[in-house]
Amino acid sequence: QAQLVESGGGLVQPGGSLRLSCAAPARIFSSFAMGWFRQAPGKEREWVAAWSRGSPYYSDSAKGRFTVSRDVAKMTVYLQMNSLKPEDTAVYYCAAIVKSDGYYPISVAAEYNYWGQGTQVTVSS
């Protein structure tokens, strides 16, 4: 049974916007971090952004264009993506670090122990 349920991917023209959603059960939603990763064909999985300890964090490629937020009532994390470029084309994954108290590097995929199924984002004219 899927713990993280993603939605919102699709085809968009360069310069367009998409919003990805990731719904989680309470114990995951309140975890150390919920992050977004992406993986393009032939490339390694890349960290995009995360929400952790009450704040958003962004990779250099996402800064200024993407916004991560969350709706506590809906237990959903969002990734708003603006000014999309062809190089943003990838499968986007939602993930969570659900571990005991401590500090965990939020940009490292291996630290995440829950993953969504992924949603395809294609930026093309």
Side-chain angles (χ1 to χ4, degrees), residues 19-43:
R19 188 177 78 161
L20 305 183
S21 302
C22 177
R27 70 180 187 91
I28 294 178
F29 185 76
S30 60
S31 62
F32 177 81
M34 288 191 69
W36 290 95
F37 289 77
R38 66 186 182 186
Q39 189 165 19
K43 294 189 176 181

Side-chain angles (χ1 to χ4, degrees), residues 84-124:
L84 283 162
K85 307 173 183 179
E87 51 263 43
D88 293 318
T89 295
V91 177
Y92 283 70
Y93 296 91
C94 174
I97 298 176
V98 183
K99 297 181 179 178
S100 57
D101 289 347
Y103 171 78
Y104 305 95
I106 59 175
S107 64
V108 177
E111 293 292 343
Y112 288 76
N113 49 352
Y114 285 86
W115 289 84
Q117 78 282 2
T119 186
Q120 177 70 46
V121 171
T122 302
V123 185
S124 174

Side-chain angles (χ1 to χ4, degrees), residues 12-96:
V12 64
Q13 293 187 341
S17 298
L18 279 176
R19 188 177 78 161
L20 305 183
S21 302
C22 177
R27 70 180 187 91
I28 294 178
F29 185 76
S30 60
S31 62
F32 177 81
M34 288 191 69
W36 290 95
F37 289 77
R38 66 186 182 186
Q39 189 165 19
K43 294 189 176 181
E44 292 190 357
R45 193 164 294 192
E46 173 192 17
W47 175 65
V48 176
W51 184 278
S52 178
R53 295 158 290 161
S55 298
Y57 298 87
Y58 301 98
S59 65
D60 288 343
S61 62
K63 227 172 266 185
R65 299 189 300 129
F66 296 1
T67 302
V68 62
S69 63
R70 61 184 213 156
D71 186 325
V72 175
K74 296 182 179 179
M75 292 192 292
T76 298
V77 174
Y78 301 99
L79 183 68
Q80 176 67 44
M81 304 186 293
N82 299 328
S83 302
L84 283 162
K85 307 173 183 179
E87 51 263 43
D88 293 318
T89 295
V91 177
Y92 283 70
Y93 296 91
C94 174

